[in-house]
Amino acid sequence: AQKITQTQPGMFVQEKEAVTLDCTYDTSDPSYGLFWYKQPSSGEMIFLIYQGSYDQQNATEGRYSLNFQKARKSANLVISASQLGDSAMYFCAMREGFRWDDKIIFGKGTRLHILP
Amino acid sequence: DAMVIQNPRYQVTQFGKPVTLSCSQTLNHNVMYWYQQKSSQAPKLLFHYYDKDFNNEADTPDNFQSRRPNTSFCFLDIRSPGLGDAAMYLCATSREEQRGSGEQFFGPGTRLTVL
């Protein structure tokens, strides 16, 4: 079974609209972390936001927020007021455990296109 | 600016000819990672280090090896590249003290072409 599922291979959104990118995960470990990364066409992966399994509040970083629904095992990324520069590939990822050697597993990604 | 640097950005090699990719960092992070990312796929972890402690993923082919001579540098050696090894190779670093937060800082990647 896939550990990280991103069901939207591609999305088209009008500039200035809010965007929600879906991510569901599967783990039996009570200690885990969830991440979102952005990968523009240049190839570099850019860390956006993190949510720990014990965090009580949803993470926010500027225009990015993570809608964490633990019971549903869902960690959707919300981008408010989208911009043309948000066009990129977005990866959801999970780390089971908090040790340095607990690896991060990436989902297959969602390609986001922002339309002018 | 502190950063993760990968050289070269583009590497072309011949089938079976050994190749080495390099990564350096000025962030003084103790954890370094190598990922392989094939076209339109998610990055796949190959190896990672905490200082000199090495963790080899179970499904990383024997053809791939890594060296970390010091904190700043890490190398990926592909002993006999096959056509299936053509990919983007990403190096990343993180601070182990950010236990759980897992923020990784990525380099720009090296795109490997195998002829």
Side-chain angles (χ1 to χ4, degrees), chain A residues 21-40:
Chain A
L21 304 181
D22 295 340
C23 175
T24 56
Y25 59 92
D26 181 26
T27 182
S28 57
D29 194 323
S31 302
Y32 57 89
L34 298 157
F35 318 88
W36 279 92
Y37 284 85
K38 173 184 178 181
Q39 189 176 39

Side-chain angles (χ1 to χ4, degrees), chain A:
Chain A
Q2 287 190 45
K3 292 278 188 177
I4 295 285
T5 301
Q6 295 181 251
T7 57
Q8 306 149 311
M11 285 185 72
F12 290 83
V13 173
Q14 207 68 40
E15 190 181 9
K16 297 190 178 70
E17 289 184 353
V19 181
T20 297
L21 304 181
D22 295 340
C23 175
T24 56
Y25 59 92
D26 181 26
T27 182
S28 57
D29 194 323
S31 302
Y32 57 89
L34 298 157
F35 318 88
W36 279 92
Y37 284 85
K38 173 184 178 181
Q39 189 176 39
S41 55
S42 57
E44 188 169 349
M45 297 279 283
I46 302 166
F47 169 81
L48 296 178
I49 198 166
Y50 165 81
Q51 180 87 42
S53 59
Y54 299 112
D55 294 343
Q56 295 295 314
Q57 294 190 333
N58 286 348
T60 60
E61 290 285 348
R63 293 187 300 115
Y64 304 106
S65 60
L66 199 152
N67 185 2
F68 182 43
Q69 298 189 38
K70 197 169 182 177
R72 296 179 59 187
K73 295 189 175 179
S74 148
N76 297 342
L77 177 70
V78 180
I79 307 174
S80 63
S82 59
Q83 302 170 356
L84 295 177
D86 294 333
S87 293
M89 193 74 163
Y90 288 80
F91 290 98
C92 178
M94 176 176 67
R95 182 187 216 172
E96 292 177 290
F98 295 147
R99 287 168 46 87
W100 75 271
D101 54 348
D102 292 318
K103 69 178 182 181
I104 294 177
I105 301 169
F106 287 80
K108 293 186 176 182
T110 295
R111 186 167 295 281
L112 177 63
H113 304 269
I114 304 297
L115 304 172

